[in-house]
Structures are given as structure tokens and as C-alpha cells.
Amino acid sequence: MKPTERSFARRIDLMSLQLFVAVCELGSIGRAAEREFIAASAVSKRLSELEAAVDTPLLYRHSRGVTLTPAGESLLHHARAVLFGLERMQGELSEYADGVRGHVRMHANISAIVQFLPEDLGAFSRRHPQIKIDLQEHLSADVLQAVREGAADLGLCHAACDGAAGHGGTQPDLQTRFYRADRLVLVMPQAHALSARAAVRFDDMLDWDIVGLHANSSISLAMRQAAAAAGRPLRQRIQVTGLDAMCRMIDNGLGVGLLPDRAFALMRGVGRLHAVPLDEPWARRELRLVARDFGTLPMTARLLVAHLAPPAAAAAPAAEVAAAVS
């Protein structure tokens, strides 16, 4: 390390970085002081010292709070990475105290949470009771962003999502591993005109009102792309956030909708519904584990990865997709 680099490292203290991040997240020195249980004047002094250390303004101060300067934006990115690295270091070191213990932060989309994770995480927790899993449900794009920013150790989303290395993404900064496969089915009331068919094409459902999930969900995005390619409007009249609400809407005659096959099997008791396989290439999907670097994950996260996506599974996505649609 050069003398100038060593001097810079000595001028930056971790407490100031933590307070800087808190101020950025809350947009106010006062609110950050309340959250961190420290006087506002002390926070302000720390920020001034931090600006002196980097020799540039980091915040615009105004009557409504603070906003970041361009330099502040850059420091916020690096500060979060430093604090995340320290948290990970603490977690790994604590694992040596009394066996492997700690927690794993995971974000997953609704398809993974409804279809597969309850059983898989339950089995993992029984095998490793000292490891706690912090799981949050998010849209697939938000899952990728959380992993990219270090807000989650692991993500679970569909392979077609932008940003996953090796799977058509434009930002090859994330690694993925095959987890599970599913297939989309068209869900409708039992007496619906399409219920007698063995399979339906996407064009068939465009004649009907559609009940869908959030506009940015992977299924909604796929439907919009397919409708645009077909040159036809998508009559998505109703959008809900949960699969059970979606099934209840369909049961009451408000439209038809696409669901993953296993999710529909689990929701079958919600109303008098029938499902027909969707005969489109994009109806067969892969769920994949996502990480910034699987090799540098904490031991607790690596154990979870080995449980959810063992090495043998990486070579078998095609076989599992075939099993899912048979």
C-alpha cells in the first residue's frame, strides 16, 4: 500500500461511514441521529470530518434535509460495500465459535416462494438449526438488483431476467445456478370455453380478459412481449399481488390467467378452476439461484447453495424441465 493510500485509510473511520449511509438512506441528519442513538450535532461533525478527509463535498444541505453530491453517490456505493464486507467477515468468524451458525439473506420471487421454497428451506433448517434464513419476496428484477447491491446474499428468480450472466442478460456481473423448472398453465373456470382443450396457444387467451400479477412480474413481462410480437392487445383488466387473489378473481368470472403448474396444484382448492398447459416455448421456465460470486459467499450461504442447487443439478435442467411438463 502506498503511503498516500495508507494515510487515506487512516483518515476514514467506520463509524463515520455508517452514519453517512444512515443519513443517505433517511435523507436527514436528524432522523439518522435518532435511528443511531447519537446527537445530531455529533452526526453533523462526523460528516464534516468525512468531507474533509475526502476533500470534497458529499451532501447538499437544505431546509428539507440532505441530498447527495456526485461524490456522495460514489462514496455511498463504496461505503455500503465496505460495511457489507465487514458484516460478512463478522458472520464468518462467528461460525468458528460454536459450529456453523449465522444467517443468510435471501430474496426470491413469488413463484419460487409458493412452489418450492417452503419444503426446501424447511429441510435445510432441520439439518442446520443454528442457521437462520432472512427471506423476502420481491419481483425478479428487484431480486437481481438486491444481490447486485449486496442487500441479499442469494437470489432466486427466473433465468430470463435481465442481468444474469450466461443467460441473455446485459450485465454479466452475477453468477447463476439451476434450481428448479416450472411450466405456465392457463387457469380458467371449469366451465370455460377453453377448458376442453389439451393445450392452448397464447393467441387463444388474447380473446379473453386476463387477470394478472404485478405489471413488472416475470409472467406479466412475458405476456406483454408475446402480445407485442403477435400484434394484438393484451386485455389485462385486473392486476393483483398474490396467487390466491388471482385464483379467486378467475373463479368469479373476471378473466383467465397464467400460473406456474405447481403453484396451481397448490391453489386448486381456491374455487372451481381448471388449468390447461400453455403451448409456447417461453412457458417452460427455469428458476435459478443468483449470487455475485458463489465462491466468496459466507459459509452459511454456501451450505444453503449446496442444499438448494447441488452440483449434480447444474447438469440436469433440461431433464427437470421435461419432467415438469410431462
Side-chain angles (χ1 to χ4, degrees), residues 102-115:
H103 75 281
V104 182
R105 300 170 304 163
M106 173 182 280
H107 289 194
N109 67 2
I110 189 171
S111 293
I113 290 176
V114 170
Q115 296 185 99

Side-chain angles (χ1 to χ4, degrees), residues 62-278:
H62 45 77
S63 59
R64 299 182 305 278
V66 298
T67 54
L68 288 167
T69 67
E73 293 276 4
S74 178
L75 179 61
L76 177 61
H77 169 76
H78 291 292
R80 281 174 167 161
V82 168
L83 295 174
F84 170 72
L86 286 171
E87 181 182 334
R88 186 170 63 184
M89 179 177 68
Q90 179 188 23
E92 288 199 28
L93 291 176
S94 68
E95 294 163 2
Y96 294 96
D98 186 21
V100 178
R101 61 171 65 238
H103 75 281
V104 182
R105 300 170 304 163
M106 173 182 280
H107 289 194
N109 67 2
I110 189 171
S111 293
I113 290 176
V114 170
Q115 296 185 99
F116 306 113
L117 280 179
E119 292 80 9
D120 287 346
L121 295 184
F124 179 82
S125 294
R126 289 189 291 274
R127 184 177 301 177
H128 302 286
Q130 293 176 313
I131 299 177
K132 304 304 179 185
I133 300 169
D134 298 334
L135 175 65
Q136 294 185 29
E137 178 192 319
H138 290 279
L139 296 170
S140 291
D142 296 332
V143 170
L144 292 174
Q145 190 63 21
V147 174
R148 186 175 288 115
E149 293 179 350
D153 302 311
L154 293 172
L156 261 177
C157 62
H158 286 98
C161 293
D162 185 41
H167 297 278
T170 60
Q171 303 177 48
D173 55 341
L174 300 176
Q175 297 179 359
T176 76
R177 293 187 184 181
F178 176 77
Y179 171 55
R180 296 291 184 90
D182 63 17
R183 177 180 180 171
L184 295 178
V185 294
L186 181 63
V187 179
M188 65 201 78
Q190 290 179 353
H192 195 275
L194 297 176
S195 62
R197 299 195 183 185
V200 295
R201 300 299 302 271
F202 183 68
D203 282 353
D204 298 329
M205 63 180 290
L206 290 176
D207 295 327
W208 306 89
D209 289 342
I210 295 172
V211 179
L213 295 172
H214 191 284
N216 291 324
S217 69
S218 58
I219 295 177
S220 291
L221 291 173
M223 285 197 298
R224 289 206 299 273
Q225 292 171 1
R232 297 183 60 188
L234 186 68
R235 293 162 49 180
Q236 187 160 335
R237 309 297 191 195
I238 297 177
Q239 291 181 347
V240 295
T241 58
L243 300 183
D244 55 344
M246 182 177 173
C247 288
R248 292 181 62 195
M249 293 288 182
I250 296 171
D251 180 47
N252 282 278
L254 296 173
V256 299
L258 290 180
L259 281 179
D261 49 2
R262 179 170 166 79
F264 173 70
L266 295 170
M267 297 286 171
R268 186 166 291 177
V270 182
R272 300 169 298 282
L273 301 174
H274 180 73
V276 176
L278 181 66

Side-chain angles (χ1 to χ4, degrees), residues 9-78:
R10 287 173 177 170
R11 294 199 306 270
I12 304 296
D13 69 273
L14 297 175
M15 183 62 180
S16 294
L17 285 181
Q18 184 176 346
L19 291 174
F20 172 73
V21 171
V23 169
C24 293
E25 291 176 346
L26 298 173
S28 164
I29 292 175
R31 288 196 293 271
E34 291 178 3
R35 192 180 82 176
E36 300 296 327
F37 300 102
I38 187 173
S41 58
V43 175
S44 184
K45 182 174 184 294
R46 289 268 190 172
L47 294 178
S48 296
E49 292 172 347
L50 190 57
E51 289 177 318
V54 299
D55 196 26
T56 187
L58 300 172
L59 298 167
Y60 297 117
R61 294 162 173 83
H62 45 77
S63 59
R64 299 182 305 278
V66 298
T67 54
L68 288 167
T69 67
E73 293 276 4
S74 178
L75 179 61
L76 177 61
H77 169 76
H78 291 292

